[in-house]
């Protein structure tokens, strides 16, 4: 046995294979749970699929399921050794495709957050972009994965590293994999994390200044226009008497689900003006939690994979971390899905319906 084979002997050990297969199986089950849940929501509560985060969760879950299947296949050394070069290229294509779909859709969510919260782009503009994210992610991921595997003639399986290789120079292998795969993952991690970080600072300021008294009435901003139910609106008693310059204020619509704004009409012009706003702390915490989790998933699950491929001889700990986290992507995305604010709303709606039905029966 060579020195390299001796160093990586743990990769083919039964304990390591069982551990990764277990994580991949749990990830596959988690992904199927999300897919079935989104399907049920589409059937019974279709209106909630207007939320981009729910639709993205469904597509990401499908990609995660494909990725988990690839992990299970690659942990079966005997099966991989029996595959032809074309069969191995298909498995590698599927693995790269599932990974890229996941990270590109995450970038789509980050772009939506960027445009809606951190710029002055009109709502109608970025709302129209929502319809393109899924198609763009699927097409771009499929194309990049195809370009990546196209030059891999004579692809073979390296059992003592659980890795693919093909007869060419090492620098050419790394160039192909980085240009078509890893650089896209790295950019997604940096961009999504950056947007979430800046947005967290903006919202933190709102949370700290939980009651914003606007000395001069201003035109309502994007944060002011999201719809809120009557129970979530501010009351006149809560916000007190407000207004200046002859404006008449009343509780109206709040922004982004947790910023609520008192909106009135200016006596001179008759135009809507924002007079005072405050933060619904419960909805704020739920929203920040969800916003933070989206970029955290690619950061946790893909950073190890990128780091492993920055060198020909990664450390044992880094290799184990990268492989395990990549296999667990479906588990982490299930957590993100369960934290979606739409789910408590759906549960509350069903409970209300059931309560009304029982009330009518026993009335």
């Amino acid at each position: 046995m060579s020195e390299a084979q001796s160093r990586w002997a743990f990769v083919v050990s039964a304990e390591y294979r069982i551990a990764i297969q277990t994580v991949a199986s749990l990830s596959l089950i988690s992904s199927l749970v999300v897919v079935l849940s989104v399907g049920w929501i589409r059937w019974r509560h279709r209106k909630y699929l207007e939320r981009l985060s729910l639709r993205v969760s469904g597509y990401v879950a499908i990609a995660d399921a494909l990725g988990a299947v690839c992990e299970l296949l690659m942990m079966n050394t005997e099966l991989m050794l029996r595959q032809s070069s074309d069969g191995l290229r298909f498995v590698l294509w599927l693995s790269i495709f599932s990974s890229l779909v996941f990270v590109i859709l995450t970038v789509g969510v980050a772009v939506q957050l960027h445009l809606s919260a951190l710029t002055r782009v009109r709502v109608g503009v970025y709302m129209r972009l929502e319809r393109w994210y899924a198609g763009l992610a699927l097409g771009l991921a499929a194309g990049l994965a195809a370009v990546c595997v196209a030059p891999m003639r004579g692809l073979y399986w390296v059992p003592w590293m659980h890795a693919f290789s093909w007869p060419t120079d090492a620098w050419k292998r790394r160039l192909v994999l980085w240009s078509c795969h890893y650089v896209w993952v790295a950019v997604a991690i940096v961009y999504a994390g950056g947007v979430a970080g800046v947005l967290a600072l903006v919202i933190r300021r709102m949370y700290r200044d939980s009651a914003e008294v606007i000395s001069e009435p201003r035109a309502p901003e994007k944060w002011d226009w999201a719809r809120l139910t009557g129970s979530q609106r501010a009351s006149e008693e809560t916000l007190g008497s407000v207004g200046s310059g002859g404006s008449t204020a009343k509780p109206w619509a709040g922004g982004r689900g947790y910023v609520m704004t008192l909106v009135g009409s200016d006596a001179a012009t008759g135009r809507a003006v924002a007079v005072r706003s405050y933060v619904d702390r419960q909805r704020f915490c739920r929203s920040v939690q969800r916003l933070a989790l989206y970029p955290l998933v690619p950061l946790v699950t893909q950073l190890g994979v990128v780091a492993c491929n920055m060198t020909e001889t990664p450390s044992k700990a880094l290799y184990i971390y990268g492989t395990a986290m990549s296999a667990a992507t479906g588990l982490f995305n299930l957590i993100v899905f369960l934290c979606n604010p739409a789910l408590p709303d759906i549960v509350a709606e069903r409970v209300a319906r059931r309560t009304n039905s029982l009330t009518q029966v026993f009335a």
Side-chain angles (χ1 to χ4, degrees):
M1 180 180 293
S2 66
E3 181 180 350
Q5 290 176 324
S6 177
R7 179 185 178 188
W8 295 98
F10 74 93
V11 174
V12 295
S13 65
E15 294 80 4
Y16 179 80
R17 292 170 60 183
I18 291 173
I20 299 301
Q21 286 172 342
T22 300
V23 173
S25 298
L26 292 174
S27 183
L28 177 60
I29 294 171
S30 301
S31 300
L32 294 177
V33 168
V34 175
V35 170
L36 293 175
S37 299
V38 173
W40 180 80
I41 292 173
R42 181 182 178 85
W43 176 43
R44 301 300 298 269
H45 300 274
R46 190 181 183 90
K47 65 180 181 180
Y48 287 97
L49 287 182
E50 295 177 0
R51 305 189 185 192
L52 177 64
S53 57
L54 273 181
R55 299 200 304 274
V56 166
S57 292
Y59 287 113
V60 167
I62 295 174
D64 291 340
L66 294 175
V69 170
C70 290
E71 290 289 347
L72 291 172
L73 291 175
M74 289 186 287
M75 284 296 109
N76 191 329
T77 301
E78 294 77 13
L79 177 63
M80 296 297 289
L81 288 174
R82 290 198 302 265
Q83 299 304 308
S84 65
S85 175
D86 289 339
L88 292 175
R89 289 169 71 189
F90 175 75
V91 174
L92 181 57
W93 176 89
L94 192 62
S95 177
I96 296 174
F97 169 76
S98 62
S99 174
L100 288 175
V101 167
F102 160 54
V103 298
I104 294 173
L105 283 173
T106 302
V107 169
V109 174
V111 169
Q112 197 75 353
L113 292 173
H114 187 176
L115 295 177
S116 63
L118 303 177
T119 70
R120 295 185 178 275
V121 175
R122 292 185 177 182
V123 175
V125 174
Y126 61 79
M127 291 298 287
R128 284 195 294 270
L129 291 177
E130 287 187 1
R131 71 186 71 175
W132 301 103
Y133 290 140
L136 179 62
L138 293 172
L140 186 58
L144 287 172
V147 171
C148 186
V149 302
M152 297 181 182
R153 305 293 179 182
L155 191 68
Y156 59 91
W157 182 246
V158 183
W160 49 273
M161 282 194 66
H162 279 286
F164 298 91
S165 188
W166 70 99
T168 189
D169 296 333
W171 69 269
K172 291 182 179 179
R173 286 197 294 267
R174 295 181 65 185
L175 177 62
V176 169
L177 290 172
W178 270 91
S179 60
C180 296
H181 186 196
Y182 300 125
V183 71
W184 294 84
V185 177
V187 169
I189 291 173
V190 172
Y191 176 71
V195 169
V198 174
L199 186 58
L201 292 176
V202 172
I203 300 175
R204 182 176 178 273
R205 177 182 58 80
M206 293 180 180
Y207 187 72
R208 186 179 63 248
D209 305 329
S210 57
E212 174 198 0
V213 179
I214 304 170
S215 58
E216 293 295 332
R218 57 169 171 76
E221 299 175 353
K222 278 193 285 188
W223 293 92
D224 303 327
W225 290 103
R227 293 170 296 176
L228 293 170
T229 63
S231 62
Q232 296 164 344
R233 296 175 186 167
S235 64
E236 295 280 3
E237 295 178 356
T238 300
L239 292 178
S241 59
V242 297
S244 62
S247 64
T248 303
K250 62 180 180 179
W252 203 61
R256 299 303 153 199
Y258 43 82
V259 179
M260 302 181 191
T261 302
L262 193 69
V263 176
S265 58
D266 187 87
T269 63
R271 295 180 178 178
V273 291
V275 181
R276 178 181 290 188
S277 63
Y278 73 99
V279 173
D280 182 327
R281 293 176 179 245
Q282 181 180 4
R283 282 184 168 263
F284 169 84
C285 291
R286 287 166 57 189
S287 297
V288 169
Q289 184 182 44
R290 176 173 60 91
L291 295 176
L293 286 175
Y294 272 111
L296 279 180
V297 174
L299 178 65
V300 172
T301 61
Q302 303 297 317
L303 185 61
V305 177
V306 174
C308 275
N309 287 274
M310 293 179 70
T311 175
E312 285 289 322
T313 56
S315 67
K316 178 179 177 180
L318 182 59
Y319 181 88
I320 295 175
Y321 169 77
T323 305
M325 290 299 99
S326 179
T329 303
L331 283 169
F332 287 103
N333 279 315
L334 174 61
I335 295 174
V336 174
F337 174 76
L338 293 176
C339 292
N340 195 301
L343 299 185
D345 294 341
I346 293 173
V347 172
E349 181 179 322
R350 292 193 64 82
V351 170
R353 288 181 181 178
R354 183 63 57 87
T355 302
N356 292 334
S357 300
L358 292 176
T359 302
Q360 293 176 2
V361 170
F362 293 103

